[in-house]
Amino acid sequence: MNRTFDSEVLLIEDNPNDAELTIRVIKKQVTGTKIHHLKDGEEAMNYIFDDNHQVHQHHIARIKVIFLDLKLPKIMGLEILKELKENQETALIPVIILSSSREDKDITTAYRYGVNGYIVKPVIFEEYAEAIQNAARYWLFTNETIRT
Amino acid sequence: MIESTVLHLVYNTALLLMLVFIFDVFVIRWPRSNTLRNNIPIGVILGLIGIILIETHWTLENGVIFDTRSILIGISGLYFGFIPTLVAMIMTAAFRLSEGGVGVLTGILSILSSGVIGIVWREYRKKEFPDYSLTETYLFGVTLHIVLLLLMFTLPNKEAINTIKSVALPILLIYPAGTALIGMFMTHRLQREKLIHKVREEETKLKIIANHTTDWDYWLSPDGEFIYCSASCLQVTGYPDHQFYNDARLVERIIYEDDREKMTNYLKRDCSKGPAHMEFRLVHHDGEIMWANHSCLPIFDDSGKFMGTRGTFRNITAQKEAELKLIEKTNEISQILSLTENSRRALLSVVEDQKITQEELALLNEELEQRVDDRTALLTAANRELEAFSYSVSHDLRAPLRGITGFTEILMNEYGDKLGSEGAQLCSVIKENTFKMGKLIEDLLAFSRLSRKEIHKSEIDLKSMFKSMYFEITTPSEREKIDLRIGDLENCFGDTSMMRQVVANLLSNAIKYSSGKSPQIIEVFSKREDQKLVYFVKDNGAGFDMRYKDKLFGVFQRLHSASEFEGTGVGLANVQRIIHRHEGEVGAESTIGEGATFWFSIPMHTSPDKQNTKLKKGL
């Protein structure tokens, strides 16, 4: 199942354990995939937008899919999602929420903002690994995205 | 000869005066007997008088007999009318015919001419009441006797001239005067009778008026005696009129004692001066006190002489009583009005008080609302904190577990050969415990979500829900050991997804705790109690100790060890929370080793008929 991939996966996750497990699972699935890990909301916003709220074209050009946690320090995941989906240049990048929350409110708000998928992180690692691998496979290979 | 003529004239006059008597009796006294049957006898009497008159004639020298029959027959025609005159004419003419003599024809003609002239004169004058004047009767007499003289020419020439010579003067002078005299007598009688009749009529009228009145009318002479006292005094006072005629002072005595002095003064002083009236009380003969209105007027004749007093007593008791009642009612109304005014004032005062109370109430309400707002704010804040807590638990408590399982897995996969079999076993224990904790957290979060979730009620077919849930939570091999008996369950009104959790929990518990029995018998049935529907899930499983039944529905409360039956102790807590949110109750009965019966009740939402309808929706 291992495949090579030159595009970038953006992972916005504050929990280092979850981040490491996620990176391991994706890399195991797609060999050579470049995963850019950002540790909080502010870091994520600075990576995508400059001080004038202009998009860093050279950053976003490579992003194939964004895995976004909801509960992030400084800027919450839903705020980042809103900014991404409201901006014409980032609106088309697939964003998948990776969250422990099963709350209706979170799920509804995310979809209202235009999220492309919502995965509740299972506690059991096998289940978690399977969910991440399925999502990564789908968004990196199965699903056809708009080429910029 | 002259003596004889005078004598006969006297006789004749006397006979003629009988006419007046006959007229008086038959015509005036019996005025209604003017019929053929009564007129013929009058005519016969007149005829008889005529015959007697002829009999008492006097004979002239030439053998001509002479009498006053012309006056009789003429007056008869004039005053008695056609039929009596005709009868008298026939009788006298017949008699004269039987007498014979030279003047038979003349005699008969004189009878006929006198009668015809009388009847014609009466008809011509058309007098129903023949009150001819003296002049008219004299002219009538002259006419009658001129014709009589002319009839003398029906005698032989010699006798005619001799007769006319001898009788012309007395006939033209005495006979008309006699006719006028008799006519005058009769007219006078007639007029007198007419007057008497009129007076009688007036008298009758006055009597009728006086006797048909409810007022007591009287006339007192100047010296205080009753000249007239109407019979109605009996009605007014209870005393008959003759008692007043006999004793004029009775009037004073029947006046009520308190009014007597006032009334006596009034009668003596005021009534002789001019019109006056007064109201006072009388004591009726039967003892009853009654009110009377007295009015009086002095009477004076044409010369101004005082003739006494005319007075009237009128019974005004009913009117007076009505007046007194009116006064009484007016007083009552005044009192009521006064009371009403007081009530109005009291009401205004109440309204005023109410206004103050309302203002106070509004103030209290405002305070209460403020307190409610404050409490709501506190509650909202508490809820928000709870949500934040749940959110935190949801995210932060589970992430480390994932780390533990994740890294344990990596340890096992990547360093398995270095761990050895014991190390691998320990890793499995770590994973297993982490899994249990994950499940616990998951259940706790679900329980927390339940209390915040909105309820959307609809009609639910619980029988179908139990059936489908049974197939969802069991495998075919498990079902082989289970004997599920679902009775006729009533439909209920509730939140479908929540009720599914209730059904799932109770059914899975029943299956779980009866797993040691073979066969596992599970019964589901419902009952109606008051306004509630009660559903029962009964199993033949392990049961529980009834001493701990209160702990059954508490969160994380378990009555069995994990080694006996798996579970987190959240399922029944969820059931209780859901049923409470549906305003129902939950409970359980059990005997250890024989099984348990769990029940829950839901209030009837609609009519029983509607609740009975089987609907498949919401499953």
Side-chain angles (χ1 to χ4, degrees):
Chain A
M1 285 293 286
N2 289 355
R3 301 167 79 159
T4 55
F5 188 69
D6 55 359
S7 296
E8 187 178 86
V9 172
L10 192 64
L11 175 67
I12 306 167
E13 172 65 77
D14 65 321
N15 187 311
N17 292 340
D18 275 356
E20 193 180 337
L21 289 173
T22 307
I23 292 164
R24 270 176 175 269
V25 168
I26 296 171
K27 284 202 168 167
K28 203 175 177 184
Q29 179 75 28
V30 192
T31 312
T33 305
K34 191 180 177 190
I35 300 170
H36 194 85
H37 176 218
L38 300 166
K39 294 175 188 67
D40 62 50
E42 190 182 61
E43 203 178 318
M45 288 298 278
N46 289 337
Y47 181 76
I48 300 162
F49 303 103
D50 62 16
D51 293 343
N52 299 319
H53 209 70
Q54 295 299 308
V55 174
H56 288 299
Q57 289 294 344
H58 58 284
H59 285 165
I60 65 156
R62 292 199 299 270
I63 298 171
K64 186 76 174 175
V65 62
I66 299 173
F67 287 106
L68 175 66
D69 188 15
L70 284 185
K71 193 166 177 288
L72 293 169
K74 296 176 186 174
I75 299 169
M76 294 293 271
L78 284 173
E79 285 177 69
I80 297 167
L81 173 68
K82 197 169 176 249
E83 293 286 339
L84 287 171
K85 291 297 177 185
E86 280 179 356
N87 191 304
Q88 278 194 345
E89 291 179 85
T90 54
L92 300 175
I93 302 169
V95 180
I96 309 301
I97 299 288
L98 278 179
S99 172
S100 300
S101 172
R102 205 185 282 279
E103 297 291 315
D104 287 344
K105 196 177 150 192
D106 289 336
I107 299 167
T108 311
T109 312
Y111 275 104
R112 208 161 270 156
Y113 288 163
V115 80
N116 300 82
Y118 193 109
I119 295 166
V120 179
K121 296 174 185 170
V123 173
I124 308 304
F125 179 69
E126 284 94 333
E127 292 171 16
Y128 180 73
E130 195 187 343
I132 300 292
Q133 281 171 357
N134 285 342
R137 195 162 49 236
Y138 177 79
W139 288 106
L140 292 173
F141 304 115
T142 314
N143 185 56
E144 198 65 48
T145 52
I146 298 160
R147 292 171 205 282
T148 54
Chain B
M1 171 71 200
I2 290 168
E3 270 178 34
S4 165
T5 303
V6 171
L7 193 65
H8 281 96
L9 261 174
V10 171
Y11 285 153
N12 273 250
T13 306
L15 283 167
L16 284 172
L17 284 173
M18 274 187 76
L19 265 180
V20 181
F21 172 72
I22 291 162
F23 184 70
D24 192 41
V25 172
F26 292 99
V27 180
I28 294 169
R29 298 279 163 88
W30 301 337
R32 289 188 184 177
S33 57
N34 191 21
T35 57
L36 192 65
R37 208 174 128 193
N38 290 310
N39 278 332
I40 289 170
I42 295 170
V44 171
I45 292 166
L46 292 173
L48 286 172
I49 293 170
I51 289 165
I52 295 166
L53 278 175
I54 294 168
E55 270 297 293
T56 55
H57 67 271
W58 62 94
T59 309
L60 295 178
E61 292 161 345
N62 51 5
V64 174
I65 59 170
F66 214 76
D67 53 61
T68 57
R69 82 190 77 147
S70 61
I71 296 173
L72 172 79
I73 301 297
I75 286 291
S76 173
L78 200 61
Y79 283 92
F80 289 89
F82 178 69
I83 294 166
T85 309
L86 185 67
V87 173
M89 278 160 70
I90 293 164
M91 281 174 70
T92 46
F95 182 75
R96 180 64 193 88
L97 189 65
S98 66
E99 287 285 295
V102 182
V104 169
L105 179 66
T106 309
I108 290 168
L109 283 174
S110 72
I111 290 166
L112 293 177
S113 71
S114 298
V116 168
I117 289 166
I119 291 163
V120 169
W121 195 287
R122 180 187 167 103
E123 280 301 307
Y124 175 73
R125 295 282 290 146
K126 289 196 172 163
K127 282 235 172 185
E128 279 181 26
F129 208 80
D131 54 341
Y132 307 100
S133 66
L134 187 64
T135 317
E136 190 173 353
T137 44
Y138 182 76
L139 278 174
F140 175 73
V142 171
T143 310
L144 205 64
H145 291 97
I146 286 172
V147 173
L148 186 69
L149 279 179
L150 290 174
L151 284 174
M152 294 305 143
F153 290 107
T154 56
L155 292 167
N157 280 342
K158 192 182 168 189
E159 279 82 5
I161 289 162
N162 287 338
T163 304
I164 289 167
K165 272 182 183 172
S166 59
V167 299
L169 199 64
I171 280 181
L172 285 177
L173 286 176
I174 299 166
Y175 277 47
T179 308
L181 190 68
I182 289 170
M184 188 190 76
F185 281 142
M186 289 172 77
T187 299
H188 184 257
R189 279 292 303 143
L190 205 61
Q191 282 174 341
R192 191 166 159 268
E193 270 313 311
K194 194 176 164 187
L195 199 65
I196 288 167
H197 181 73
K198 205 174 174 183
V199 167
R200 278 181 188 156
E201 261 186 3
E202 285 300 314
E203 198 179 52
T204 309
K205 234 188 265 177
L206 286 172
K207 264 190 184 171
I208 287 170
I209 291 167
N211 291 333
H212 291 79
T213 172
T214 50
D215 295 345
W216 168 26
D217 293 307
Y218 70 88
W219 177 11
L220 280 181
S221 67
D223 49 5
E225 295 300 320
F226 275 92
I227 296 170
Y228 171 75
C229 174
S230 70
S232 51
C233 65
L234 185 66
Q235 285 171 277
V236 179
T237 66
Y239 296 91
D241 54 356
H242 65 83
Q243 286 200 20
F244 290 99
Y245 283 120
N246 296 337
D247 179 11
R249 295 185 69 80
L250 178 60
V251 176
E252 284 174 30
R253 292 203 300 276
I254 63 171
I255 294 166
Y256 184 63
E257 206 176 338
D258 292 357
D259 296 347
R260 197 170 291 160
E261 194 183 337
K262 178 179 75 172
M263 188 62 190
T264 312
N265 287 339
Y266 154 79
L267 286 171
K268 283 180 182 164
R269 193 182 58 225
D270 301 335
C271 290
S272 57
K273 288 178 186 167
H277 64 88
M278 180 172 271
E279 285 177 4
F280 63 99
R281 283 163 289 180
L282 280 179
V283 181
H284 195 270
H285 187 252
D286 61 13
E288 201 177 322
I289 296 167
M290 44 176 288
W291 277 93
N293 182 313
H294 183 266
S295 56
C296 59
L297 193 69
I299 307 168
F300 300 94
D301 68 3
D302 294 342
S303 62
K305 187 188 166 192
F306 180 57
M307 300 287 287
T309 315
R310 167 85 172 76
T312 304
F313 286 93
R314 174 169 291 179
N315 184 349
I316 57 162
T317 309
Q319 182 191 334
K320 208 71 187 174
E321 278 173 0
E323 270 176 32
L324 287 171
K325 267 188 190 164
L326 193 68
I327 291 166
E328 206 176 301
K329 288 281 167 200
T330 310
N331 288 339
E332 273 178 31
I333 289 167
S334 300
Q335 279 178 354
I336 290 166
L337 283 175
S338 162
L339 280 172
T340 310
E341 178 59 22
N342 289 341
S343 303
R344 194 181 69 85
R345 283 185 188 152
L347 202 64
L348 278 175
S349 165
V350 169
V351 169
E352 199 66 33
D353 287 352
Q354 204 179 12
K355 206 175 157 189
I356 293 165
T357 311
Q358 274 177 348
E359 280 170 5
E360 285 173 358
L361 205 63
L363 209 66
L364 280 172
N365 271 340
E366 216 170 279
E367 279 176 24
L368 197 66
E369 274 171 24
Q370 186 57 47
R371 282 168 69 184
V372 168
D373 285 349
D374 292 349
R375 289 282 164 87
T376 308
L378 283 172
L379 204 63
T380 309
N383 268 339
R384 214 174 287 136
E385 279 171 20
L386 193 67
E387 270 182 48
F389 172 75
S390 302
Y391 198 76
S392 181
V393 166
S394 172
H395 284 80
D396 302 335
L397 221 58
R398 293 205 301 178
L401 289 180
R402 198 163 39 252
I404 294 166
T405 59
F407 289 110
T408 308
E409 183 70 26
I410 292 165
L411 195 67
M412 284 169 79
N413 289 342
E414 294 180 13
Y415 303 95
D417 51 337
K418 290 178 183 171
L419 288 173
S421 63
E422 197 180 346
Q425 176 62 31
L426 289 172
C427 281
S428 294
V429 172
I430 292 170
K431 276 175 71 180
E432 201 176 303
N433 279 293
T434 319
F435 171 76
K436 281 181 185 168
M437 186 154 181
K439 182 78 174 75
L440 210 61
I441 292 168
E442 193 61 46
D443 284 353
L444 191 62
L445 285 172
F447 180 72
S448 161
R449 272 198 302 275
L450 207 56
S451 59
R452 285 175 281 136
K453 199 182 174 225
E454 274 184 34
I455 293 182
H456 299 286
K457 285 187 183 176
S458 61
E459 194 169 11
I460 300 167
D461 179 355
L462 274 173
K463 188 172 182 175
S464 301
M465 191 180 265
F466 266 99
K467 272 185 187 170
S468 63
M469 186 56 72
Y470 174 65
F471 284 97
E472 255 180 62
I473 63 172
T474 53
T475 59
S477 60
E478 282 173 330
R479 287 199 286 273
E480 279 177 14
K481 297 188 285 176
I482 299 169
D483 177 7
L484 178 67
R485 302 167 187 174
I486 303 178
D488 278 332
L489 301 186
E490 300 240 26
N491 287 351
C492 77
F493 245 79
D495 185 295
T496 307
S497 68
M498 287 188 182
M499 289 310 289
R500 274 175 67 81
Q501 287 190 54
V502 170
V503 169
N505 267 300
L506 295 180
L507 206 54
S508 61
N509 274 357
I511 293 165
K512 183 164 73 182
Y513 291 105
S514 65
S515 56
K517 295 287 172 76
S518 185
Q520 291 174 256
I521 301 168
I522 296 165
E523 290 172 81
V524 183
F525 54 94
S526 71
K527 277 184 192 170
R528 281 186 188 205
E529 277 180 17
D530 299 328
Q531 287 300 304
K532 291 184 291 186
L533 295 169
V534 190
Y535 299 88
F536 300 84
V537 181
K538 187 181 175 186
D539 65 66
N540 61 341
F544 59 87
D545 190 338
M546 281 295 279
R547 283 183 295 173
Y548 306 114
K549 75 170 196 175
D550 293 341
K551 292 186 173 180
L552 268 179
F553 297 94
V555 187
F556 300 128
Q557 290 286 346
R558 300 211 66 220
L559 300 186
H560 299 273
S561 66
S563 57
E564 282 181 290
F565 299 103
E566 285 185 355
T568 56
V570 179
L572 286 176
N574 276 343
V575 168
Q576 187 183 49
R577 182 160 281 194
I578 290 167
I579 296 302
H580 282 178
R581 290 199 69 192
H582 281 76
E583 294 164 358
E585 289 168 56
V586 290
E589 313 292 333
S590 174
T591 309
I592 295 175
E594 289 181 17
T597 304
F598 283 78
W599 59 265
F600 66 90
S601 66
I602 300 280
M604 279 189 191
H605 183 75
T606 50
S607 69
D609 289 344
K610 192 162 182 192
Q611 295 243 4
N612 272 334
T613 54
K614 302 278 178 186
L615 290 177
K616 302 285 181 189
K617 68 175 182 179
L619 296 172

